[in-house]
């Protein structure tokens, strides 16, 4: 398996915990002659690239891992990049919009050109599939399988050209003799049957690989024919002399240097008094066409080999709705031959109760040239039936010419099985009984995981924030308004993420009993004023006013860092949960050995029921107004914990739609 970069090791570990086992890919380059790559739909970071990328594109897997999506898009042909990105974005959006299906569902398939490391263009056919989804059903990772179709593209182009030439030749067949005399690319010959003498044009001698001055006899001609083709060629000529006026042939010849070539020949029998007296004709080299046909055949064989190696059933239909191909997996499963399944024979393998539905769906989507997905039962060779999910889609050429349909079938029998569902439910109930005895251990493990994950995520998130900030400040040039708007949103989103991570880290330290206070005498009045000053831009944005009532000094022995965090949280909550143009009141006073700091807002308020869970982790208020406010439900939890560590109190007084007052009480 290609080694992930250092920056991706933690991601690899996290993904493995989440169920993405990268080790399963390590042998694929030896099995599939294609590039296999897995990347995150959110970050665009590749987490796996098969070693076959070097053979196909000249790059190492590590270069693709390091370069990521930016490297890939920079290599795509300018004429293909817009279409590729658009298709990919639409497919991902559609996959996220629809209900989750099975993993490995294909969502996009496209052909495009990409620059080889040595500079030339390589055609790739890439099929992207959903590898897995997030718990919310969104696409998490994409697996791409990219096959090199450069030779196929070349062969198709050459075959189209050669086919066009053949059509022109058929159309002008009546003028074959005249064209042979004027076509410099063809060789002309004449065979006198009475003298057995041959006359060849210089062009024909060139086609046969002999020098212009070479004297051609019938014996010499026979020596140039490929030994394996010589009997057949003689039989064709003999039959033509007896029963026909014209003949055509394709055969191999052997040049004096030993190389083998293909020629196409045409002969015209000339008769006198009903008796053949001579044969005239033309010959042309068809090496290019034969090579193109061979390449297409090899390409088809490679496709069939890949299809037979795939873990799913694959079928292909022509433009007349007739199925022309089933892969080995299908044939092994049904126990039938390819000849038995082709055409309409495949219907014999479908459950009788499903045949009408399957046929109707197939015909309707075929006529509309649209994709489909349906479930039906297929008979196993042992007589049993399994449920399969069949996904079919139309095939179009580069010129948008309809070429038929292709589909794949996945066995979903276990998913459809009621017994399996019942078994899983019983196992789930048994597991829940055990889990009830392990809640405390799991809770501790969760806290440790949150701490570890927060630490690991904070560093890259901080780096992202710094780089976005540098871009916004113009370090890489001027930005369009749209770019600035998008980056500003990303910056704010990243800032919120860092706040969540900070809260998670703080909670983890508190729950683990690792938070240590560094108490010193601190002027809480000055500290509160400083916090209000830093929040001034927030108040101005919401047109909120602040009333401050407290003595000049309020000194207590506290940890200034953590008390400041508590005050910032209370002030921020007061502003966040208060409508615009409202006033926030801050009161500080000393009563006996205690100092109290109160923050009163005129916001949505908190019900008695919600006040009971206010200081719990991840708690959210139950009213509709608070549900639209961004909050992770941790701030008041760790605030109260910090005040408790100071032997203080954090209390609340609140009424719905009348506002709330949070009071911190600290010993001096």
């Amino acid at each position: 398996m290609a080694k992930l970069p250092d920056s991706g090791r933690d991601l690899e570990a996290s993904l493995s915990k989440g169920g993405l086992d990268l080790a399963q890919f390590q042998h694929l380059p030896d099995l599939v002659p294609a590039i296999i790559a897995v990347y995150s739909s959110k970050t665009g970071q590749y987490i796996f690239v098969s070693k076959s990328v070097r053979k196909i594109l000249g790059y190492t897997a590590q270069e693709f891992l390091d370069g990521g999506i930016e490297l890939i898009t920079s290599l795509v042909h300018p004429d293909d990049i817009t279409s590729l990105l658009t298709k990919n974005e639409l497919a991902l959006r559609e996959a996220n919009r629809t209900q989750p299906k099975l993993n490995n569902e294909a969502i996009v398939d496209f052909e495009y050109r990409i620059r080889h490391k040595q500079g030339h263009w390589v055609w790739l056919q890439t099929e992207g599939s959903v590898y897995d989804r997030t718990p919310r059903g969104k696409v998490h990772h994409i697996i791409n399988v990219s096959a090199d179709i450069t030779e196929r593209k070349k062969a198709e182009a050459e075959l189209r050209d050669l086919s066009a030439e053949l059509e022109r030749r058929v159309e002008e067949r009546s003028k074959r003799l005249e064209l042979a005399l004027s076509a410099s690319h063809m060789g002309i010959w004449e065979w006198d049957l009475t003298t057995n003498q041959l006359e060849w044009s210089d062009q024909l001698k060139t086609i046969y690989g002999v020098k212009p001055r070479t004297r051609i006899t019938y014996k010499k001609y026979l020596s140039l024919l490929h030994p394996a083709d010589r009997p057949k060629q003689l039989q064709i000529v003999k039959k033509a002399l007896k029963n026909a006026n014209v003949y055509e042939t394709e055969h191999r010849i052997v040049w004096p240097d030993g190389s083998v070539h293909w020629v196409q020949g045409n002969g015209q029998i000339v008769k006198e008094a009903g008796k053949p007296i001579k044969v005239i004709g033309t010959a042309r080299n068809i090496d290019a066409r034969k090579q193109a046909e061979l390449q297409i055949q090899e390409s088809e064989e490679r496709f069939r080999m890949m299809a037979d190696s795939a873990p799913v059933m694959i079928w292909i239909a022509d433009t007349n709705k007739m199925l022309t191909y089933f892969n080995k997996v299908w044939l092994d499963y049904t126990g039938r031959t390819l000849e038995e399944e082709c055409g309409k024979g495949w219907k014999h393998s479908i459950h009788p109760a499903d045949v009408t539905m399957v046929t109707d769906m197939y015909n309707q989507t075929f006529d509309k040239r649209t994709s489909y997905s349906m479930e039906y039962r297929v008979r196993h060779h042992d007589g049993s039936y399994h449920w399969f999910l069949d996904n079919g889609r139309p095939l179009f050429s580069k010129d948008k010419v309809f070429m038929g349909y292709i589909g794949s079938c996945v066995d979903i029998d276990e998913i459809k099985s009621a017994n399996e569902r019942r078994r899983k439910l019983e196992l789930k109930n048994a597991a829940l009984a055990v889990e009830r005895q392990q809640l405390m251990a799991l809770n501790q493990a969760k806290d440790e995981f949150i701490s570890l994950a927060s630490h690991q995520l904070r560093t890259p998130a901080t780096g992202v924030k710094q780089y976005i900030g540098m871009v916004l400040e113009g370090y890489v040039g001027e930005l369009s308004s749209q770019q600035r708007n998008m980056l500003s949103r990303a910056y704010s989103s990243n800032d919120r993420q860092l706040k969540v991570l900070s809260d998670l880290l703080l909670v983890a330290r508190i729950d683990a009993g690792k938070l240590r206070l560094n108490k010193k005498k601190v002027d809480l009045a000055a500290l509160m004023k400083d916090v209000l000053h830093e929040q001034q831009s927030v108040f101005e944005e919401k047109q909120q006013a602040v009333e401050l009532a407290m003595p000049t000094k309020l000194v207590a022995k506290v940890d200034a860092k953590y008390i400041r965090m508590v005050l910032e949280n209370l002030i921020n909550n007061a502003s966040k949960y208060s409508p615009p143009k409202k006033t926030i009141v801050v009161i500080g006073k000393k009563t006996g050995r205690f100092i109290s700091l109160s923050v009163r807002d005129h916001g949505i308020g908190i019900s008695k029921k919600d006040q009971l869970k206010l200081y719990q982790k991840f708690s959210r208020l139950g009213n509709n107004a608070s549900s639209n406010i961004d909050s992770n439900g941790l701030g008041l939890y760790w605030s109260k914990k910090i005040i408790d560590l100071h032997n203080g109190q954090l209390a609340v007084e609140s009424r719905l739609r009348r506002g709330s007052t949070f009071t911190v009480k600290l010993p001096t």
Side-chain angles (χ1 to χ4, degrees), residues 113-162:
R113 289 159 289 182
I114 188 167
R115 190 170 62 249
H116 192 278
K117 192 169 186 179
Q118 294 181 354
H120 59 274
W121 295 103
V122 176
W123 273 98
L124 293 183
Q125 181 180 35
T126 296
E127 178 172 333
S129 302
V130 176
Y131 187 83
D132 62 355
R133 293 178 178 264
T134 66
R136 295 187 177 182
K138 299 301 181 182
V139 177
H140 192 192
H141 292 94
I142 302 294
I143 178 170
N144 282 345
V145 180
S146 304
D148 184 354
I149 59 171
T150 305
E151 294 304 320
R152 194 195 79 192
K153 287 289 186 179
K154 291 180 181 178
E156 288 173 352
E158 291 177 1
L159 185 57
R160 285 195 298 270
D161 293 342
L162 290 169

Side-chain angles (χ1 to χ4, degrees), residues 2 29 34-37 46 48-77 112-122 124 148:
I35 302 171
I36 298 177
Y46 280 98
F48 173 79
V49 179
S50 65
K51 294 180 180 179
S52 55
V53 68
R54 185 161 196 168
K55 181 177 180 181
I56 295 176
L57 296 178
Y59 291 88
T60 65
Q62 190 64 48
E63 287 177 308
F64 266 48
L65 288 168
D66 292 340
I69 290 298
E70 292 183 358
L71 173 61
I72 304 305
T73 53
S74 71
L75 298 177
V76 176
H77 195 284
Y112 57 97
R113 289 159 289 182
I114 188 167
R115 190 170 62 249
H116 192 278
K117 192 169 186 179
Q118 294 181 354
H120 59 274
W121 295 103
V122 176
L124 293 183
D148 184 354

Side-chain angles (χ1 to χ4, degrees), residues 177-196:
L177 185 57
E178 291 83 355
L179 286 174
L181 295 173
S182 61
S184 61
H185 62 282
M186 285 187 177
I188 305 169
W189 56 270
E190 181 175 322
W191 179 22
D192 189 331
L193 298 176
T194 60
T195 64
N196 205 31

Side-chain angles (χ1 to χ4, degrees), residues 228-412:
D229 296 349
R230 189 179 300 143
K232 182 179 179 181
Q233 179 67 10
L234 293 176
Q235 184 64 29
I236 290 173
V237 175
K238 181 179 179 180
K239 185 177 180 180
L241 289 172
K242 182 178 181 181
N243 302 318
N245 292 323
V246 296
Y247 67 88
E248 293 184 16
T249 180
E250 290 182 4
H251 60 87
R252 290 167 291 176
I253 61 174
V254 182
W255 282 12
D257 64 6
S259 59
V260 178
H261 302 270
W262 278 91
V263 296
Q264 180 187 53
N266 299 279
Q268 171 75 49
I269 311 298
V270 179
K271 296 182 179 181
E272 188 175 281
K275 182 180 179 180
I277 60 171
K278 69 170 60 176
V279 185
I280 59 175
T282 62
R284 56 182 292 178
N285 181 285
I286 57 170
D287 282 345
R289 197 194 79 195
K290 286 294 183 179
Q291 183 63 30
E293 291 174 352
L294 179 62
Q295 290 174 345
I296 291 176
Q297 181 182 355
E298 291 175 347
S299 179
E300 291 177 348
E301 289 175 354
R302 285 195 296 270
F303 164 77
R304 293 178 190 276
M305 182 174 64
M306 292 179 64
D308 288 341
S309 300
V312 296
M313 296 180 174
I314 296 175
W315 56 264
I316 297 176
D318 62 18
T319 56
N320 296 317
K321 300 182 182 179
M322 296 292 104
L323 273 76
T324 60
Y325 171 75
F326 292 88
N327 71 339
K328 186 175 183 295
V329 180
W330 178 291
L331 300 177
D332 288 346
Y333 175 84
T334 61
R336 288 164 58 86
T337 66
L338 182 62
E339 291 73 17
E340 290 174 327
E341 293 293 81
C342 283
K344 296 183 179 179
W346 57 273
K347 293 184 180 180
H348 293 288
S349 299
I350 309 302
H351 194 286
D354 299 338
V355 170
T356 301
M357 179 274 294
V358 172
T359 303
D360 290 345
M361 172 71 79
Y362 176 73
N363 288 333
Q364 290 171 11
T365 54
F366 198 103
D367 293 338
K368 295 177 182 178
R369 306 292 192 260
T370 56
S371 300
Y372 71 81
S373 180
M374 60 179 166
E375 298 176 0
Y376 54 85
R377 287 161 289 182
V378 182
R379 186 175 62 233
H380 190 265
H381 59 75
D382 64 5
S384 64
Y385 284 88
H386 284 203
W387 280 96
F388 280 82
L389 174 66
D390 184 359
N391 291 292
R393 64 178 182 83
L395 287 173
F396 294 93
S397 68
K398 183 179 180 181
D399 300 327
K400 298 184 178 180
V401 176
F402 177 63
M403 300 174 63
Y405 262 70
I406 186 171
S408 63
C409 301
V410 179
D411 191 330
I412 58 170

Side-chain angles (χ1 to χ4, degrees), residues 9-25:
R9 288 174 180 160
D10 298 315
L11 178 60
E12 180 185 8
S14 299
L15 290 175
S16 296
K17 290 180 181 178
L20 180 56
D21 185 4
L22 296 179
Q24 63 183 293
F25 297 112

Side-chain angles (χ1 to χ4, degrees), residues 577 610 613 618-622 626-633:
Y577 289 95
D610 284 337
K613 61 180 182 179
F618 307 107
S619 64
R620 296 295 302 271
L621 302 186
S626 67
S627 64
N628 297 322
I629 297 176
D630 183 26
S631 173
N632 57 37

Side-chain angles (χ1 to χ4, degrees), residues 377-646:
R377 287 161 289 182
V378 182
R379 186 175 62 233
H380 190 265
H381 59 75
D382 64 5
S384 64
Y385 284 88
H386 284 203
W387 280 96
F388 280 82
L389 174 66
D390 184 359
N391 291 292
R393 64 178 182 83
L395 287 173
F396 294 93
S397 68
K398 183 179 180 181
D399 300 327
K400 298 184 178 180
V401 176
F402 177 63
M403 300 174 63
Y405 262 70
I406 186 171
S408 63
C409 301
V410 179
D411 191 330
I412 58 170
D413 197 64
E414 289 190 6
I415 297 175
K416 299 285 290 187
S417 171
N419 291 333
E420 181 66 10
R421 290 198 302 269
R422 195 160 47 245
R423 185 184 69 83
K424 289 182 178 180
L425 183 59
E426 292 172 355
L427 292 174
K428 183 69 174 178
N429 290 336
L432 287 174
V434 175
E435 288 174 4
R436 292 181 62 185
Q437 306 300 322
Q438 300 174 337
L439 285 177
M440 293 303 296
L442 288 176
N443 188 60
Q444 180 180 355
K446 177 202 67 178
D447 290 339
E448 292 175 354
F449 172 76
I450 290 175
S451 176
L452 177 62
S454 300
H455 273 294
Q456 297 296 337
L457 292 173
R458 183 177 177 83
T459 298
T462 302
V464 170
K465 178 180 179 181
Q466 292 174 345
Y467 280 111
I468 294 177
M470 293 174 66
V471 174
L472 287 170
E473 292 174 9
Y475 279 83
V476 295
E478 292 293 326
L479 300 174
S480 67
S481 59
Q482 183 180 13
Q483 291 171 332
R484 182 169 293 279
N485 181 45
M486 294 176 68
L487 285 171
S488 296
R489 284 197 219 167
Y491 188 90
S492 299
S493 177
N494 181 264
D495 208 34
R496 289 193 297 273
Q497 179 188 5
L498 285 172
K499 177 63 170 63
V500 172
L501 294 174
S502 296
D503 285 354
L504 287 171
L505 283 169
L506 184 56
V507 168
R509 292 184 63 192
I510 291 173
D511 289 346
K514 295 180 179 180
L515 189 67
R516 298 291 182 264
L517 299 181
N518 182 19
K519 291 184 179 181
K520 294 181 181 179
K521 289 186 177 181
V522 177
D523 184 356
L524 296 179
L527 184 61
M528 176 63 84
K529 291 176 183 178
D530 191 43
V531 170
L532 292 172
H533 178 73
E534 287 188 354
Q535 296 274 4
Q536 188 61 37
S537 61
V538 178
F539 301 142
E540 291 175 355
E541 183 178 351
K542 296 186 69 174
Q543 301 180 15
Q544 295 170 333
V546 178
E547 290 182 5
L548 180 63
M550 66 173 58
T552 304
K553 280 193 174 186
L554 289 171
V555 179
K557 193 173 183 180
V558 298
D559 188 311
K561 172 185 174 182
Y562 291 113
I563 293 301
R564 182 187 186 92
M565 291 171 63
V566 172
L567 297 179
E568 287 175 344
N569 187 47
L570 296 179
I571 294 296
N572 183 57
N573 284 348
S575 174
K576 186 162 51 176
Y577 289 95
S578 294
K581 300 183 180 180
K582 291 293 184 178
T583 299
I584 297 170
V585 179
V586 179
I587 300 173
K589 61 183 179 180
K590 181 178 181 181
T591 303
R593 296 186 302 103
F594 291 89
I595 292 176
S596 61
L597 299 172
S598 300
V599 179
R600 183 169 71 240
D601 62 60
H602 297 83
I604 59 179
I606 307 169
S607 68
K608 291 291 185 182
K609 179 181 178 181
D610 284 337
Q611 289 180 34
L612 297 176
K613 61 180 182 179
L614 198 59
Y615 302 111
Q616 297 176 6
K617 279 189 288 190
F618 307 107
S619 64
R620 296 295 302 271
L621 302 186
N623 58 67
N624 293 331
S626 67
S627 64
N628 297 322
I629 297 176
D630 183 26
S631 173
N632 57 37
L634 292 173
L636 288 176
Y637 172 80
W638 58 253
S639 293
K640 188 173 188 310
K641 291 291 185 180
I642 289 175
I643 298 303
D644 290 344
L645 289 173
H646 282 81

